[in-house]
Amino acid sequence: MLSRVANNLIWLSRYMERGNGILSLLKINFYANQDSPELFSWTPIIKNFSSSENEFETEDAIECIDYMVFNLGNSNSLLNIVTRARENARSVQEHISRETWLCVNNYYLYITDKDLPRRLREEDPIHFLEELRKHHLVYYGTSDITQERGPSYYFMNVGKFLERVIQISDFTALKLQEIANTSDSLEKGFYWKNLLLSIGGYQLYLKTHKSTFNEEHIIQMVFQDKLFPRSVYYCVNKLNRLIHQLIDSNELEKNNLDFLLGKLESTIKYTTIDNINNQGLNNFIEGIKEDIRNISMNINSVYLSQIN
């Protein structure tokens, strides 16, 4: 497979995963902001998904959603993300199922509808965000049941899980900044709940622990749970398997990539809560992000060009 094709498959999935994460964060923060605007500001979300030169600020929910969905000056606006995903999908049509291409193309046509910004201002914002999010869920289901298992599928999933690890790390770091500003245990509980809701782990947490929010339980679930599909360990384990499948099918050369992934997987799996507390959760997260950056750069240096 040409490196350009593999690169576009990875970025197609990364953009779709990033868009889904942004929509989840916007939806959960909208709910929380309605109840406690002093705790759940929009500013951290804008800063997290904007460049350092960005000067846009607002505490108006609709203005923030409009900026995050439609603003062409924001490189991580949903409109820009879906446009780039469509460009990548179009360039690799021969390597993805027709159904997957139609999903992405239909999403692009939906989000570029000139009437859509008006609907944001006139309709229920939650309904508006859910309608957008449905396109991501349809994409996940369609690509999973129509894409043949082979290098294209493996590269697409490498992109998905790379992006997911980065998002989980960013979302957790975001909440840690807010938690650091309060000594109130009740407020800390609100922030942890908000994190679990943002990554879709709230229901699983309640089923598993049947208790109030315990920081150690949340950290274990977010970083080390083997079955939670949005835990860091689950994603790194999947990445490890996918890279080995690409090596076995001669699409990737065997180098230290599998070593880096195996090392990160073992680090997350065997690190105890005491170890995490000793080094600080922020440092633990930064270590994971650094390892993921090295793994991503390793893929680029071995096989891919940095087109995106």
Side-chain angles (χ1 to χ4, degrees):
M1 180 181 290
L2 295 173
S3 59
R4 177 183 56 79
V5 173
N7 198 26
N8 288 350
L9 288 166
I10 286 178
W11 277 97
L12 162 62
S13 278
R14 286 195 65 166
Y15 287 134
M16 293 303 287
E17 180 70 19
R18 188 179 303 174
N20 186 51
I22 290 173
L23 286 171
S24 296
L25 197 61
L26 291 174
K27 177 186 166 185
I28 299 306
N29 202 68
F30 182 85
Y31 275 128
N33 180 267
Q34 298 300 298
D35 294 332
S36 308
E38 71 282 5
L39 296 181
F40 297 99
S41 164
W42 290 103
T43 302
I45 294 177
I46 294 171
K47 285 185 177 178
N48 192 66
F49 289 104
S50 302
S51 66
S52 55
E53 295 83 25
N54 172 59
E55 296 180 352
F56 177 80
E57 290 184 12
T58 183
E59 283 303 323
D60 182 277
I62 301 301
E63 284 183 4
C64 178
I65 295 173
D66 183 86
Y67 176 78
M68 295 298 297
V69 173
F70 296 116
N71 192 296
L72 291 173
N74 174 14
S75 61
N76 273 320
S77 72
L78 208 63
L79 180 55
N80 280 329
I81 287 173
V82 174
T83 300
R84 290 198 292 268
R86 178 176 179 265
E87 289 170 359
N88 282 311
R90 183 170 56 182
S91 69
V92 294
Q93 282 190 62
E94 292 179 0
H95 300 269
I96 60 176
S97 67
R98 175 170 171 73
E99 291 85 351
T100 300
W101 156 247
L102 289 176
C103 275
V104 178
N105 193 48
N106 288 339
Y107 189 13
Y108 171 79
L109 295 176
Y110 180 82
I111 201 169
T112 53
D113 185 339
K114 295 189 182 306
D115 193 45
L116 201 57
R118 179 192 62 78
R119 290 178 54 190
L120 167 61
R121 299 183 183 281
E122 295 180 358
E123 297 179 3
D124 175 8
I126 295 297
H127 176 74
F128 173 83
L129 293 171
E130 274 299 303
E131 286 297 308
L132 289 170
R133 194 158 173 263
K134 281 179 186 173
H135 287 274
H136 291 270
L137 300 179
V138 170
Y139 165 80
Y140 288 137
T142 302
S143 60
D144 193 56
I145 63 173
T146 62
Q147 185 68 38
E148 65 180 62
R149 271 43 177 174
S152 297
Y153 179 81
Y154 302 147
F155 277 119
M156 289 168 73
N157 278 278
V158 164
K160 178 173 74 175
F161 287 111
L162 268 176
E163 185 69 27
R164 192 173 291 181
V165 172
I166 293 168
Q167 280 193 9
I168 296 166
S169 302
D170 283 345
F171 287 7
T172 308
L174 202 63
K175 294 303 153 192
L176 288 178
Q177 290 175 12
E178 294 167 337
I179 288 171
N181 293 327
T182 180
S183 58
D184 188 305
S185 59
L186 185 61
E187 288 186 6
K188 288 183 179 180
F190 288 155
Y191 289 130
W192 285 123
K193 178 183 177 181
N194 189 264
L195 171 64
L196 290 173
L197 286 168
S198 300
I199 62 172
Y202 179 60
Q203 190 178 21
L204 176 62
Y205 180 88
L206 294 182
K207 284 181 180 177
T208 305
H209 297 290
K210 299 180 176 62
S211 66
T212 55
F213 296 108
N214 177 293
E215 188 172 325
E216 291 186 358
H217 289 162
I218 294 172
I219 292 172
Q220 191 279 327
M221 182 176 152
V222 171
F223 289 95
Q224 296 179 312
D225 195 290
K226 294 179 181 176
L227 302 178
F228 176 41
R230 294 188 180 277
S231 83
V232 172
Y233 176 77
Y234 183 93
C235 296
V236 172
N237 178 266
K238 285 286 186 182
L239 276 172
N240 203 2
R241 292 186 186 187
L242 290 162
I243 292 299
H244 276 97
Q245 284 168 318
L246 287 168
I247 291 172
D248 291 343
S249 57
N250 297 319
E251 290 293 340
L252 271 180
E253 295 177 14
K254 188 173 178 61
N255 63 355
N256 66 336
L257 188 57
D258 54 336
F259 169 76
L260 291 173
L261 276 163
K263 178 171 169 285
L264 177 58
E265 185 180 346
S266 297
T267 299
I268 296 169
K269 183 177 180 180
Y270 295 113
T271 298
T272 65
I273 293 297
D274 285 341
N275 284 337
I276 294 175
N277 289 333
N278 288 337
Q279 63 180 296
L281 184 54
N282 257 327
N283 291 332
F284 181 64
I285 293 171
E286 282 304 314
I288 291 172
K289 290 173 72 173
E290 181 64 27
D291 285 344
I292 286 294
R293 274 195 292 270
N294 289 336
I295 289 165
S296 180
M297 289 173 62
N298 198 285
I299 293 174
N300 282 337
S301 66
V302 172
Y303 193 70
L304 306 173
S305 59
Q306 299 185 41
I307 297 173
N308 290 270

